[in-house]
Amino acid sequence: MDGDGASSTGATPSEEMNGTGNLMDFLDEPFPDVGTYEDFHTIDWLREKSRDTDRHRKITTKSKESYWELIKSLLDAWSGWVVMLLIGMLTGTLAGVIDLAVDWMTDLKEGVCLSAFYYSHEQCCWTSNETTFDDRDKCPQWQKWAELMTGHSEGAGAYVLNYFLYVLWALLFSFLAVSLVRVFAPYACGSGIPEIKTILSGFIIRGYLGKWTLLIKTVTLVLAVSSGLSLGKEGPLVHVACCCGNLFCSLFSKYSKNEGKRREVLSAAAAAGVSVAFGAPIGGVLFSLEEVSYYFPLKTLWRSFFAALVAAFTLRAINPFGNSRLVLFYVEYHTPWYMAELVPFILLGVFGGLWGTLFIRGNIAWCRRRKTTLLGKYPVLEVIVITGITAVLAFPNPYTRRSTSELISELFNDCGALESSQLCDYVNNPNMSRPVDDIPDRPAGPGVYTALWQLALALIFKIVITIFTFGMKIPSGLFIPSMAVGAIAGRIVGIAVEQMAYHHHDWIIFKNWCRPGADCVTPGLYAMVGAAACLGGVTRMTVSLVVIMFELTGGLEYIVPLMAAAVTSKWVADAFGKEGIYESHIQLNGYPYLDVRDEFTHRTLATDVMRPRRSEPPLAVLTQDSTTVEDVETLIKDTDYNGFPVVVSRESERLIGFVQRRDLTVAIKTARQKQDGVVSSSVVYFTEDTPQVAEACDPQPLKLRRILNLSPFTVTDHTPMETVVDIFRKLGLRQCLVTRSGRLLGIITKKDVLRHMAQMMNQDPESIMFN
């Protein structure tokens, strides 16, 4: 529109100079909802990055104008570190509260502390003056339910009553957990890591990281773990931490208005989650980098490190385990490992890989069945039934009755002179006079053989029940149950090797390193290696897994055995299928997730994947200066596409740019409300200059140049799909236009790429459900 047209409508001199008159060129002044995304849609990473660059450039320019603007720019620069500090503090606090609550409620199933009902068994006996070293688990203040109700602590009647109340408490906890999830926050179920991975790849799931989800997940996580089900709190703590991250993002416009920047914060929050879950800050950062994050620039690495550090500090200040350490499984082994032991370590790696494969296949088959049968309609009943079966089978066996964390802790422990565990019931040789902390290998006593039987039964029970537990409608982590399976198998192997070395120390394999009276095999180390192998088999982690394990246990000199087991476990599991449990659940739920680790080796071209196909109607496009508002509204109404290419004319099909559906809808709606003269017959212009309105009665044109993306990503029709897939992965594209000599031929969306990849792997392409 030229100056005369502008003057005739009463425009200001500055508007005359710009030649815009009272035409609103959208995004000259920002207005709500433009540039935002709808639920279950993918973000455009390039667009978000470019918007952040523009915002940063504006702030830098303004900072030179005045001191106030300079202070504002410094505050903006520091806001990232402030967010990390807040995330770390809140995540550490929540983790500490969860740990304390789980300890108390787990013990509540067996008894209560008379001196203070809110004390766990351990805390109750700490505060007692009458606790002796031999009977450290017995103190007058702690009473089991049968003793409290009937006055008898021994006998069949007391056992049956304790059994009944144990099952009853477990059912109550799990019923409360599933009810709260169903009623208040359906997104609070599961581990949350598959969804976090999908969200970090640029997918929008509104409410998944909301305040209600945070509150309900925190409460129900305590209930679910306390119920004794075969699940852990570590995976869900990543979800809790990301909810904290999202909460603090909303306080700063830098993050709340840019989905790309928000994901940098969420990556760091995931690191803080693992940091407090295991007390492993460095492992948390590596876990976020290796397993969870999609886009992880160097700046995010530093911030993740800071968030994990603050979270770990906060947890240490709360001291939930009462041992002034960050971790529950701290161990101190007094013997080195020997080269010959690599053989059983590698065998444990093979076991971990096989267990990982069995678990993933069994669990996915069960989840699929849950989705397609009546079972899916009654999630509360499913949780109650599985809890009932778990509690009834778990109570008789002392190794399954206690919490899984305590079980792992006992399995990791070395048998010192002060240990009262059944696993340490060795036959003592009175002729041995050695320092207390260096106990030689001895023959196993009856307690060890009893423990081996109970552990073998616990292993079978854990393997089977975990398959049915993971994926129910309650918060359920997988780290601890997987580690328990591996730790049980590892301890059994460790005791077997130890006894073999004791009874056959003259064999050639033991001769070089195992002399009579020497302490040459540490069964606890085998449990630790087994735990790492099984966790690696299920999740396919390697580097972060080893770091988490040595941070978790303090066993720094045992890195090589851990590495050997982790690598073997990954190789064995990968031989049966490349996807870990989280990728399998992403696939099961049909989330649009392009895994960076997937290789695409098929020789197809962009033209084979693009739409429209030969049998389909032509591509829905807009022209730069001949489409009316009514045409645009009809196009939006009749189609469900996320955006439309803009061309010079339908004859030439020469590409100008790309406009998002949501931006178009919002712009037209706002223009009708705020701009006079915009009617259905108004022409929409995507050009820099708009023609002069000849007469007053002509409809006012609508200029939408500012919502047009003038640099959409394009490829030619002969670009190999291998390259296209790589571009989508590395740039996080939402869609890509296909051209030939500047002429528009078609479009490839992220969903098209995923469908094509599924087709090439002989999977159902319709399993990709979302946009």
Side-chain angles (χ1 to χ4, degrees):
M1 205 174 195
D2 63 18
D4 294 338
S7 303
S8 65
T9 53
T12 61
S14 64
E15 284 174 322
E16 282 184 41
M17 282 170 65
N18 290 332
T20 58
N22 68 351
L23 287 188
M24 196 177 287
D25 191 350
F26 283 97
L27 290 192
D28 271 353
E29 291 178 15
F31 62 98
D33 284 345
V34 157
T36 58
Y37 302 90
E38 290 176 22
D39 205 3
F40 299 124
H41 281 65
T42 309
I43 71 167
D44 190 331
W45 283 95
L46 288 179
R47 183 189 187 195
E48 296 301 300
K49 197 167 173 54
S50 142
R51 283 169 62 187
D52 186 59
T53 308
D54 289 346
R55 186 194 66 82
H56 197 264
R57 199 180 291 122
K58 268 185 197 169
I59 289 173
T60 311
T61 310
K62 278 188 174 180
S63 67
K64 293 167 186 170
E65 293 171 8
S66 67
Y67 281 118
W68 173 238
E69 290 297 339
L70 179 64
I71 291 166
K72 275 166 74 175
S73 74
L74 289 172
L75 288 173
D76 180 77
W78 271 93
S79 61
W81 297 102
V82 173
V83 169
M84 294 306 136
L85 180 71
L86 294 170
I87 290 169
M89 288 168 71
L90 183 57
T91 305
T93 306
L94 288 175
V97 169
I98 288 168
D99 285 335
L100 291 167
V102 165
D103 276 356
W104 173 63
M105 288 176 72
T106 303
D107 289 342
L108 195 63
K109 291 187 298 185
E110 295 191 46
V112 68
C113 186
L114 299 182
S115 56
F117 77 93
Y118 49 83
Y119 277 174
S120 67
H121 187 170
E122 199 175 7
Q123 287 169 321
C124 193
C125 291
W126 274 345
T127 54
S128 170
N129 298 324
E130 296 149 59
T131 306
T132 62
F133 186 80
D134 292 332
D135 289 330
R136 72 191 87 169
D137 291 335
K138 292 177 184 170
C139 52
Q141 279 87 357
W142 178 265
Q143 289 197 351
K144 291 195 172 181
W145 290 112
E147 192 182 351
L148 189 67
M149 291 175 174
T150 64
H152 300 293
S153 58
E154 304 296 329
Y159 182 83
V160 169
L161 184 57
N162 282 331
Y163 198 156
F164 174 72
L165 285 167
Y166 178 91
V167 175
L168 201 65
W169 276 112
L171 290 170
L172 175 68
F173 290 159
S174 64
F175 175 71
L176 276 173
V178 71
S179 303
L180 286 169
V181 167
R182 291 280 291 160
V183 175
F184 295 107
Y187 282 150
C189 65
S191 85
I193 292 180
E195 286 77 9
I196 297 294
K197 284 183 73 143
T198 310
I199 288 169
L200 289 179
S201 77
F203 194 56
I204 304 275
I205 309 178
R206 298 216 185 282
Y208 198 83
L209 301 175
K211 297 181 191 72
W212 266 113
T213 307
L214 173 62
L215 178 65
I216 299 300
K217 185 120 188 177
T218 307
V219 173
T220 54
L221 183 54
V222 172
L223 289 164
V225 175
S226 306
S227 69
L229 282 163
S230 184
L231 47 84
K233 60 182 183 298
E234 283 64 22
L237 271 172
V238 174
H239 185 185
V240 166
C242 286
C243 288
C244 296
N246 193 52
L247 182 72
F248 292 123
C249 276
S250 59
L251 304 178
F252 297 87
S253 62
K254 175 180 176 178
Y255 297 109
S256 62
K257 291 182 178 174
N258 190 298
E259 293 289 350
K261 294 295 288 178
R262 189 196 298 258
R263 272 147 187 76
E264 289 180 27
V265 172
L266 297 180
S267 289
V274 176
S275 169
V276 292
F278 290 111
I282 301 168
V285 176
L286 288 174
F287 176 81
S288 181
L289 173 61
E290 182 184 357
E291 189 62 29
V292 182
S293 297
Y294 196 83
Y295 172 68
F296 204 84
L298 196 59
K299 185 168 62 177
T300 305
L301 181 72
W302 301 331
R303 288 186 176 169
S304 301
F305 189 76
F306 180 65
L309 172 75
V310 173
F313 264 138
T314 310
L315 187 66
R316 172 68 181 74
I318 294 170
N319 193 16
F321 306 123
N323 58 4
S324 298
R325 298 193 193 280
L326 270 176
V327 293
L328 186 59
F329 309 138
Y330 188 79
V331 290
E332 286 178 343
Y333 301 134
H334 302 288
T335 51
W337 61 276
Y338 300 91
M339 284 302 288
E341 287 184 287
L342 274 177
V343 175
F345 293 153
I346 287 168
L347 287 174
L348 283 171
V350 172
F351 171 77
L354 293 172
W355 143 250
T357 305
L358 167 74
F359 174 78
I360 291 168
R361 293 199 176 169
N363 181 251
I364 293 298
W366 178 249
C367 288
R368 219 167 246 134
R369 188 170 176 76
R370 182 189 286 131
K371 276 188 163 189
T372 54
T373 58
L374 271 174
L375 195 67
K377 291 183 181 173
Y378 303 105
V380 177
L381 185 65
E382 184 195 5
V383 170
I384 294 292
V385 169
I386 297 287
T387 308
I389 293 169
T390 304
V392 167
L393 294 176
F395 187 85
N397 187 337
Y399 291 107
T400 49
R401 187 190 311 173
R402 71 188 62 183
S403 78
T404 317
S405 298
E406 283 177 27
L407 167 65
I408 295 170
S409 190
E410 185 172 331
L411 293 168
F412 280 6
N413 265 346
D414 195 10
C415 282
L418 309 179
E419 285 299 329
S420 60
S421 166
Q422 203 179 5
L423 282 166
C424 297
D425 180 26
Y426 289 92
V427 177
N428 278 318
N429 184 349
N431 300 328
M432 285 283 179
S433 57
R434 295 171 70 89
V436 165
D437 66 344
D438 191 14
I439 290 179
D441 286 346
R442 297 159 292 165
V448 174
Y449 289 112
T450 309
L452 282 175
W453 274 111
Q454 289 171 338
L455 282 176
L457 290 171
L459 180 64
I460 295 162
F461 169 70
K462 284 279 180 195
I463 283 173
V464 175
I465 206 73
T466 308
I467 289 171
F468 296 99
T469 307
F470 187 70
M472 292 196 302
K473 296 293 178 194
I474 49 171
S476 52
L478 196 57
F479 283 40
I480 288 292
S482 303
M483 285 173 70
V485 168
I488 294 169
R491 188 77 187 208
I492 292 170
V493 170
I495 292 171
V497 172
E498 180 192 46
Q499 293 307 302
M500 206 186 297
Y502 177 80
H503 292 292
H504 304 283
H505 54 78
D506 53 343
W507 284 9
I508 193 160
I509 54 167
F510 299 121
K511 220 169 195 173
N512 297 333
W513 54 280
C514 212
R515 293 176 303 283
D519 183 13
C520 49
V521 177
T522 310
L525 171 60
Y526 285 74
M528 189 165 102
V529 171
C534 282
L535 185 52
V538 170
T539 60
R540 307 298 158 84
M541 295 191 298
T542 49
V543 182
S544 53
L545 171 67
V546 172
V547 174
I548 285 171
M549 286 306 295
F550 83 69
E551 278 192 276
L552 188 59
T553 56
L556 197 61
E557 64 183 286
Y558 303 106
I559 285 181
V560 173
L562 288 170
M563 286 171 78
V567 168
T568 309
S569 156
K570 182 170 169 58
W571 281 341
V572 171
D574 279 354
F576 295 96
K578 293 283 183 193
E579 287 96 13
I581 187 67
Y582 302 130
E583 290 76 22
S584 300
H585 271 268
I586 285 170
Q587 221 170 61
L588 178 75
N589 293 325
Y591 296 133
Y593 181 75
L594 256 177
D595 198 340
V596 183
R597 289 171 286 196
D598 282 348
E599 288 178 16
F600 186 86
T601 51
H602 306 280
R603 296 178 68 82
T604 50
L605 301 175
T607 189
D608 303 322
V609 181
M610 73 175 194
R611 288 183 300 163
R613 309 276 158 78
R614 284 194 179 90
S615 56
E616 292 175 353
L619 198 64
V621 295
L622 298 168
T623 55
Q624 68 173 359
D625 55 11
S626 58
T627 312
T628 63
V629 169
E630 189 178 14
D631 295 337
V632 175
E633 287 176 333
T634 307
L635 188 64
I636 290 169
K637 192 174 151 192
D638 294 346
T639 63
D640 57 357
Y641 305 132
N642 290 329
F644 305 96
V646 177
V647 293
V648 173
S649 66
R650 291 182 192 280
E651 293 74 41
S652 74
E653 290 281 324
R654 196 160 65 79
L655 183 65
I656 300 289
F658 190 84
V659 64
Q660 298 286 353
R661 174 199 189 89
R662 186 176 173 83
D663 292 356
L664 259 182
T665 312
V666 173
I668 289 173
K669 186 180 171 188
T670 311
R672 281 186 179 278
Q673 290 168 356
K674 294 188 176 178
Q675 190 174 323
D676 296 334
V678 173
V679 291
S680 295
S681 55
S682 297
V683 180
V684 177
Y685 286 94
F686 292 101
T687 52
E688 199 61 63
D689 301 311
T690 49
Q692 180 184 340
V693 178
E695 295 175 26
C697 60
D698 283 0
Q700 186 81 296
L702 178 61
K703 188 178 175 188
L704 295 179
R705 170 80 167 189
R706 291 286 179 182
I707 65 168
L708 180 67
N709 177 8
L710 290 165
S711 55
F713 209 92
T714 58
V715 294
T716 67
D717 53 336
H718 281 86
T719 307
M721 269 313 287
E722 194 179 350
T723 308
V724 174
V725 170
D726 226 23
I727 289 168
F728 267 87
R729 272 200 203 116
K730 288 177 178 167
L731 296 179
L733 295 187
R734 191 179 184 182
Q735 71 278 313
C736 170
L737 299 172
V738 184
T739 60
R740 185 194 291 163
S741 309
R743 190 168 167 270
L744 180 67
L745 294 181
I747 187 168
I748 299 174
T749 63
K750 190 175 181 181
K751 199 171 174 183
D752 294 327
V753 172
L754 287 160
R755 277 183 171 149
H756 181 65
M757 288 173 76
Q759 223 166 353
M760 292 290 106
M761 290 187 282
N762 298 318
Q763 294 169 353
D764 177 20
E766 293 310 309
S767 64
I768 315 299
M769 295 187 296
F770 297 110
N771 294 311

